[in-house]
Amino acid sequence: QLVGSFSNTENTPWHYQWFDFSKRALKDKNFASIIQDVQDYLNQGYIPVIASDIDDSGEGDLLVREVLNYVGYTGKTYREYHDDETEISVRNALRQKALKVVTLEDPAYRKSNARTNMDYLTQQLTRVATKRVVEAGYTLPVKTVKVGRKNKRVMNVVPMGRLKSVILREIGDQEKRIKSYKPSSVFESRYKLGDLVLSAKDMPQFKTKAEWKHDDLPNESTVKEVGQKKGRTLPPKAYSLSQVAGEMAKYGMKGKQVIDLFQKMYEAHYLSYPRSEDTFISPEQFVKATNQLDTVLDLLGLPRAAFTHREPRPQYVHTGSSHGALRYGAALPNSMQELVDKFGKHADDLWRVVSERFVQMYLEDTEWIKYTYETVDTPKPFTGSVRVITKQGVIDPDEKEKPSNMPDLRNKAQLYAHELKSTRPQKTTAKWLYKQLEKDGVGTGATRVQTTAAMCGSKNNAPINESRVFTLSPLGWVGYRFALITKIGSVDGTKYLAGLIDGVAKGGSYDDAYSEFDKVMAQDVQSLKEGAVDLDDTGLEKKEYIEGVWNGQNVRVNRTFAGHRFTDDEVAKLLNGDEIEIEANGKNGPMRLVGKLANLEYNGNPYVGFDARRAGYATGTWNGKTVTIKAQYMDHKFTQDELNALFAGQEIQIETHQDDKTYN
């Protein structure tokens, strides 16, 4: 009663004490037989083993625990930890020595249990935001959902949530940066000697090269070496699922397509578990992967001679992994075409993207020396450095310093006007978005892709329009505006909430975490109800109303109907009780409608609205059924008396004309 239906926001903010999270109801009656099977085995004395997916969120552990809790099981429970879903891995994981006894205090279960319950409480934000939009007179887009075997059109809701709101905010902020960006440059004094560029802090900057002045700086200066530092660059680690999705976007694949294809290839053992958060593998996994390496390199067309580091390095191989980093699976294809034949378009590309990244751990390190220099003849020293490679292995693609040649110190560095150009904001591609979320520590490799994919569409009925770049739809811009005024919509706020969840995983009190979460929700609910939010330029259609006296009563009626906005003349006729004809948007294109104001009813609720029928048609009761017929035969339009007679089953006589002939 306190929570009520979706439209009930009177009792927001909610309090976690209103909910008994220990109780779960069956989502579908078809699950009842499965639940009964579990109950029967437990009654026979079997001890359950949690063998679901192993992921950083603990989702797999929660799903199994919910079943055991539902049937009231409180006995011993084991957890197995399989590397992949091959028979040998599962058998090894199910050995008695490999099993671990777990309870309701297991960190994986506690983490996922706290997360799902807190996410449940965020539904109130969606309710409040949606109600505010509707009450402000805006029309939210309609989407089609599956209800049983039928499709049903329902109104969309404002997207809100721990990850959803941050995703919308990231895209929205970047879209605004791109729109407002104007290229610019400034010039400042620097020295150059070969590949070596030397700069100094707090140098005056000038808008144009013509305005540049170097005052007391000499035109050239002697340069001396002031330091050396040895270092090495390691190969990059394996991709996360969000990074893979970012790369696959280059092939035109959408997030959901990547997830679905990866899952199919995992189940067939061609790729490892997709939702792993590991960036390393276990010693046992390393042995398997190394035994397959040469075959994989041949499939990828890469030279075996370059991948010579066949000993495990601690950065890539150590204990503590679950499924391990994303990599090729136990089953290897005979050719890349085999993958396309089995799984369809882009299966070869997906396998290549994952495998090429993973095998880089077998490349040698790149060793280098960084030489630092400074000017001698300047009022204050200008400093710079070059990095010289002494042993070529792999160059980290994200390394900002590029290899250079040693400067010839017998020559002098020359003063010049260095141009500092503004940086154009990056396009909102999938790769860019997932990199931003990863940098901000929001979500996991899997949830970033899954949540974004769930918000994507292509017809403005979803928050995000997905093509080569992500753009916000009108619905997305509404979610963005609300994200700006809520804590849950900020990176810091989301990190704070994630910290509460991690605290529970580490043994902290559920009640303490939920109580703190309640405070955040209360603050955000108040912001959603009362905070300043401008919805006018989001692109949402705003409702207009006809207000006046009709049939002796004051009425308020929507001024638009099926895409048609009533003119002032049509409004006057409607309030007078007259019938009008309009052109509206039908399922198959434009159509003519005839209608007038009438007392109508929707879901048992009476209201006054535009009662329309298709122009040129008439509806009535004939032979006990409601039927619609054409209101014209050849060039004769039926009168109301004739229609009444026809619906009553009577015969009428009419006169029609065609080709200058008269027919009766």
Side-chain angles (χ1 to χ4, degrees):
Q1 290 178 340
L2 289 169
V3 175
S5 62
F6 182 83
S7 61
N8 184 0
T9 61
E10 293 178 6
N11 294 322
T12 53
W14 296 344
H15 298 289
Y16 79 92
Q17 296 98 329
W18 296 352
F19 304 90
D20 186 349
F21 292 121
S22 66
K23 292 183 178 179
R24 293 284 189 268
L26 283 182
K27 186 176 181 181
D28 192 313
K29 292 180 180 178
N30 294 327
F31 296 150
S33 61
I34 301 172
I35 295 292
Q36 189 59 53
D37 285 344
V38 173
Q39 182 71 74
D40 290 344
Y41 279 113
L42 294 173
N43 290 343
Q44 294 174 49
Y46 281 91
I47 300 175
V49 179
I50 299 176
S52 51
D53 287 339
I54 305 162
D55 53 71
D56 187 60
S57 69
E59 184 80 11
D61 295 80
L62 173 69
L63 293 173
V64 176
R65 277 291 180 188
E66 284 187 333
V67 175
L68 296 176
N69 293 343
Y70 182 81
V71 299
Y73 180 77
T74 57
K76 179 184 284 188
T77 304
Y78 289 109
R79 188 24 155 152
E80 61 78 60
Y81 299 92
H82 54 275
D83 293 340
D84 52 53
E85 292 193 341
T86 57
E87 183 177 328
I88 187 170
S89 290
V90 175
R91 285 186 178 277
N92 287 336
L94 287 171
R95 288 178 302 168
Q96 186 72 26
K97 290 183 179 180
L99 294 176
K100 176 185 175 184
V101 176
V102 290
T103 68
L104 293 177
E105 298 305 309
D106 182 54
Y109 168 72
R110 287 177 64 87
K111 181 176 185 178
S112 192
N113 189 37
R115 177 190 53 76
T116 195
N117 294 338
M118 290 184 186
D119 283 347
Y120 186 89
L121 293 170
T122 64
Q123 292 179 94
Q124 60 186 305
L125 303 181
T126 301
R127 290 187 178 193
V128 175
T130 301
K131 188 171 184 179
R132 182 168 179 184
V133 171
V134 172
E135 288 182 342
Y138 293 91
T139 303
L140 289 165
V142 173
K143 64 180 179 180
T144 302
V145 296
K146 200 86 172 176
V147 181
R149 295 182 178 180
K150 295 182 179 180
N151 289 330
K152 185 177 180 181
R153 288 171 64 79
V154 298
M155 183 187 76
N156 242 307
V157 297
V158 175
M160 300 283 307
R162 283 189 307 119
L163 188 48
K164 284 181 180 179
S165 295
V166 175
I167 289 171
L168 295 178
R169 191 162 178 174
E170 293 277 16
I171 297 173
D173 282 345
Q174 190 72 354
E175 278 199 69
K176 289 167 73 173
R177 292 187 196 104
I178 293 170
K179 189 175 181 179
S180 63
Y181 173 73
K182 293 180 181 178
S184 62
S185 295
V186 293
F187 293 83
E188 70 176 26
S189 298
R190 291 192 182 183
Y191 287 89
K192 187 174 178 63
L193 177 59
D195 288 343
L196 174 65
V197 175
L198 303 107
S199 62
K201 291 182 179 180
D202 303 322
M203 293 303 297
Q205 294 183 333
F206 304 88
K207 290 184 178 180
T208 65
K209 190 173 183 179
E211 296 176 22
W212 170 62
K213 296 177 182 178
H214 55 84
D215 297 330
D216 58 344
L217 292 174
N219 289 323
E220 58 183 22
S221 174
T222 301
V223 175
K224 68 176 182 179
E225 181 185 316
V226 294
Q228 294 183 17
K229 179 183 177 182
K230 291 184 178 181
R232 62 177 61 220
T233 300
L234 276 68
K237 293 185 177 181
Y239 278 142
S240 66
L241 181 59
S242 58
Q243 290 172 320
V244 171
E247 292 297 321
M248 292 308 297
K250 298 175 184 177
Y251 297 91
M253 288 194 76
K254 297 180 178 179
K256 188 176 186 307
Q257 294 172 321
V258 175
I259 293 172
D260 292 345
L261 179 57
F262 207 131
Q263 184 68 26
K264 288 178 183 177
M265 295 178 71
Y266 160 62
E267 290 172 1
H269 313 311
Y270 284 93
L271 288 173
S272 63
Y273 178 67
R275 287 172 290 280
S276 173
E277 283 297 293
D278 293 334
T279 57
F280 60 93
I281 55 177
S282 69
E284 295 78 14
Q285 292 166 343
F286 178 78
V287 171
K288 293 179 185 177
T290 306
N291 289 338
Q292 297 171 299
L293 179 60
D294 286 336
T295 304
V296 171
L297 292 174
D298 292 343
L299 284 165
L300 294 172
L302 298 173
R304 295 185 181 184
F307 297 83
T308 53
H309 205 115
R310 306 287 175 110
E311 295 298 318
R313 284 179 280 194
Q315 294 88 347
Y316 310 100
V317 183
H318 56 84
T319 58
S321 71
S322 50
H323 288 284
L326 300 190
R327 62 197 184 281
Y328 43 84
L332 297 181
N334 293 312
S335 68
M336 301 300 275
Q337 186 59 41
E338 177 185 317
L339 297 172
V340 178
D341 294 340
K342 284 189 174 183
F343 303 103
K345 189 177 180 181
H346 296 312
D348 55 336
D349 299 319
L350 178 58
W351 192 85
R352 180 181 296 279
V353 165
V354 173
S355 301
E356 279 189 350
R357 180 72 170 203
F358 176 75
V359 299
Q360 290 189 46
M361 65 180 280
Y362 292 100
L363 292 166
E364 297 294 339
D365 297 350
T366 293
E367 297 179 8
W368 43 264
I369 300 176
K370 183 178 180 181
Y371 296 89
T372 307
Y373 302 89
E374 66 179 36
T375 56
V376 174
D377 308 318
T378 53
K380 64 178 179 179
F382 282 64
T383 61
S385 64
V386 296
R387 195 182 62 157
V388 179
I389 291 176
T390 56
K391 179 183 177 183
Q392 181 68 64
V394 62
I395 298 175
D396 186 343
D398 297 326
E399 184 67 46
K400 293 180 180 179
E401 289 187 89
K402 296 182 179 179
S404 307
N405 295 312
M406 294 278 286
D408 186 348
L409 299 185
R410 293 173 297 179
N411 299 322
K412 290 190 175 184
Q414 302 299 311
L415 179 67
Y416 75 105
H418 181 82
E419 183 179 9
L420 294 165
K421 294 182 179 180
S422 62
T423 303
R424 183 180 295 276
Q426 288 181 267
K427 293 181 179 179
T428 51
T429 61
K431 184 175 182 179
W432 169 85
L433 174 63
Y434 299 140
K435 190 173 182 178
Q436 287 296 116
L437 295 172
E438 184 174 2
K439 183 186 75 174
D440 291 333
V442 177
T444 66
T447 58
R448 293 173 200 130
V449 183
Q450 291 170 325
T451 305
T452 304
M455 291 197 294
C456 283
S458 56
K459 292 184 179 180
N460 271 354
N461 61 352
I464 300 172
N465 293 318
E466 182 179 18
S467 55
R468 291 191 178 276
V469 296
F470 290 138
T471 57
L472 297 187
S473 69
L475 180 63
W477 280 114
V478 171
Y480 169 80
R481 295 291 167 77
F482 283 119
L484 292 178
I485 62 172
T486 54
K487 186 167 184 174
I488 203 172
S490 68
V491 169
D492 289 342
T494 299
K495 283 183 177 180
Y496 176 74
L497 299 178
L500 295 179
I501 295 169
D502 288 338
V504 174
K506 294 173 182 176
S509 164
Y510 278 110
D511 281 339
D512 288 349
Y514 293 158
S515 179
E516 193 64 25
F517 193 79
D518 266 5
K519 294 177 185 176
V520 176
M521 290 296 98
Q523 176 184 324
D524 280 356
V525 165
Q526 183 178 1
S527 296
L528 292 176
K529 287 182 176 180
E530 303 172 6
V533 57
D534 182 10
L535 301 174
D536 285 341
D537 60 349
T538 57
L540 278 189
E541 181 183 334
K542 191 168 186 178
K543 284 185 179 179
E544 288 184 90
Y545 293 96
I546 298 170
E547 296 190 36
V549 179
W550 168 81
N551 204 22
Q553 58 180 314
N554 292 319
V555 295
R556 188 170 186 258
V557 182
N558 285 338
R559 185 155 184 167
T560 57
F561 184 87
H564 174 81
R565 181 181 183 277
F566 298 120
T567 66
D568 291 344
D569 183 54
E570 288 170 337
V571 168
K573 289 181 179 178
L574 289 172
L575 292 175
N576 194 46
D578 298 337
E579 191 171 73
I580 62 172
E581 184 173 329
I582 64 172
E583 183 171 286
N585 298 326
K587 288 183 179 180
N588 300 315
M591 61 188 298
R592 301 297 298 180
L593 296 176
V594 174
K596 60 182 180 178
L597 294 185
N599 289 305
L600 305 172
E601 186 178 290
Y602 180 74
N603 286 346
N605 298 313
Y607 71 100
V608 175
F610 184 65
D611 188 21
R613 67 179 188 278
R614 193 170 174 185
Y617 288 79
T619 300
T621 302
W622 170 80
N623 206 21
K625 297 185 295 184
T626 300
V627 296
T628 298
I629 64 170
K630 286 187 176 181
Q632 179 174 333
Y633 185 80
M634 294 177 67
D635 68 341
H636 176 80
K637 293 183 179 179
F638 297 124
T639 66
Q640 190 60 50
D641 288 342
E642 289 171 335
L643 289 170
N644 293 340
L646 288 171
F647 287 129
Q650 299 171 13
E651 188 177 88
I652 63 171
Q653 183 172 336
I654 61 173
E655 181 181 289
T656 65
H657 308 86
Q658 187 174 348
D659 299 332
D660 297 327
K661 294 182 180 179
T662 300
Y663 300 90
N664 285 292

